[in-house]
Amino acid sequence: MRLSDTEELDGTQDPRSFWHSETKRLREKEGWTQSRLGREINVSEDYVSRLERGVRPPTPELSIRLDQALKTDGHFMRVYELAKKSTGAVPDFFAWVAEMEKQAQRIEEYNPSMWPGLIQSPAYAELVFKSVWPYHTEEQIRDLVEQRSERANMFGRNGSPEVWMIVEEALLGGGLGPGVMVQQLGHVIRLMESRKIVLQFIPQTIGMHALKVGQLRIMTMEDGSQIAYTEGPHSGSVMDTSEELAKCRRSYDLARASALPHEQSLVRIRAALEEHEKHDQ
């Protein structure tokens, strides 16, 4: 959970929260300031503050440094491994982001090559996972699809976040097998019509724009703080400094300026759905 500067992290929630809370507990046990711990593990005082509040994710490198600095005999590394196992099928680099997603007040995302995970239908998600992990067993793929579907349950709860998606119009095309795009487009239409998401297409006539080269997600928390996240096939990167966030915000806003309005995008999806339904008959 992301916290303000004055809030205390509840370390009993899960192994990740425990890892963060232990950073503060053991630092204070040593009588160290955040600045002192930062010097010992080669990060800034602000970074230590973010670690203790759960704003920065635990990593194996940080766990090793903390164990060495605080002389905790592998304690942080063991908790990190426990936290890693507790994430289930979610890839480790994304697990912390998935946890933060549950606390977000607003989620803004751009994806150039596929429908964003939160709005993928089960059939579409299955194809995505099989293409990325072709040697996974059917059971492993099923676990990944189920976890992705569980993340999307946020749309059914009270106080669900505002979700704003920008995607490329090329995603309306086919070639994924009978019924897949019909299910996917129908799913997106229901989310749009029920006002669960705002979705905009960047038309194919727009040759280049500020986010053409990659995926971006910006999450805004209840206290107004933000994190940005970019992802490749097997890695992810979290950005939370003011400089990084300003650049991400500018790029996202520029891409949004190139996109069609929500209602026009919905009209195009409905038309594409009709075409796919005719093709599948």
Side-chain angles (χ1 to χ4, degrees):
M1 178 182 294
R2 188 173 186 121
L3 303 172
S4 69
D5 292 339
T6 58
E7 290 180 292
E8 290 288 331
L9 181 70
D10 180 5
T12 65
Q13 294 181 90
D14 51 58
R16 285 181 178 272
S17 298
F18 182 62
W19 189 98
H20 291 295
S21 66
E22 284 293 89
T23 305
K24 180 178 181 180
R25 183 182 72 82
L26 292 170
R27 171 182 65 78
E28 292 180 338
K29 182 179 178 182
E30 289 291 325
W32 290 359
T33 63
Q34 290 179 336
S35 178
R36 168 68 188 277
L37 179 58
R39 290 195 300 273
E40 294 288 338
I41 63 174
N42 198 31
V43 298
S44 68
E45 178 181 354
D46 180 64
Y47 197 105
V48 172
S49 174
R50 291 170 184 268
L51 280 179
E52 294 181 354
R53 292 184 286 122
V55 178
R56 275 288 188 176
T59 67
E61 293 80 11
L62 281 171
S63 299
I64 292 171
R65 289 186 209 170
L66 286 166
D67 280 325
Q68 291 173 342
L70 295 167
K71 297 179 174 58
T72 45
D73 191 28
H75 173 66
F76 281 96
M77 196 63 196
R78 288 192 294 273
V79 177
Y80 170 79
E81 290 295 338
L82 183 62
K84 183 177 177 180
K85 291 178 181 178
S86 73
T87 63
V90 176
D92 184 58
F93 65 84
F94 184 75
W96 180 78
V97 176
E99 287 299 314
M100 298 299 286
E101 185 178 80
K102 298 175 184 177
Q103 312 300 325
Q105 187 177 61
R106 184 168 72 250
I107 299 172
E108 299 164 279
E109 185 168 347
Y110 165 77
N111 198 309
S113 57
M114 67 178 67
W115 294 95
L118 279 175
I119 60 173
Q120 288 178 5
S121 69
Y124 188 92
E126 181 178 345
L127 283 182
V128 171
F129 288 127
K130 284 182 175 179
S131 67
V132 176
W133 289 290
Y135 302 109
H136 273 26
T137 65
E138 289 298 321
E139 182 179 1
Q140 288 174 314
I141 295 296
R142 185 168 57 251
D143 287 344
L144 287 166
V145 172
E146 288 178 357
Q147 286 216 319
R148 179 153 290 183
S149 297
E150 287 175 6
R151 285 174 50 217
N153 286 339
M154 67 167 60
F155 293 120
R157 72 170 190 252
N158 293 329
S160 60
E162 298 176 1
V163 177
W164 196 319
M165 304 286 189
I166 303 173
V167 297
E168 298 286 336
E169 189 178 19
L171 293 182
L172 294 177
L176 299 180
V180 175
M181 283 304 297
V182 169
Q183 184 185 115
Q184 176 61 37
L185 295 180
H187 179 61
V188 172
I189 288 172
R190 286 189 291 274
L191 288 172
M192 294 175 74
E193 290 180 336
S194 61
R195 301 182 182 277
K196 301 295 185 183
I197 64 171
V198 171
L199 186 141
Q200 294 177 264
F201 279 120
I202 294 181
Q204 290 181 286
T205 53
I206 302 294
M208 187 59 65
H209 57 80
L211 285 177
K212 190 74 170 181
V213 295
Q215 178 183 351
L216 174 66
R217 168 187 290 217
I218 301 173
M219 292 191 288
T220 304
M221 306 302 159
E222 291 183 2
D223 63 359
S225 58
Q226 293 184 321
I227 61 171
Y229 176 73
T230 59
E231 182 176 308
H234 302 288
S235 64
S237 177
V238 174
M239 295 170 283
D240 59 8
T241 68
S242 58
E243 294 82 4
E244 291 170 329
L245 289 168
K247 292 176 182 178
C248 289
R249 169 53 57 196
R250 182 166 57 250
S251 294
Y252 194 87
D253 288 346
L254 286 169
R256 181 162 51 194
S258 299
L260 295 174
H262 174 84
E263 290 300 329
Q264 289 184 29
S265 299
L266 180 55
V267 169
R268 295 204 181 189
I269 299 178
R270 288 170 177 156
L273 176 59
E274 290 182 6
E275 290 299 316
H276 283 291
E277 288 175 332
K278 291 177 183 176
H279 182 271
D280 289 348
Q281 288 178 354

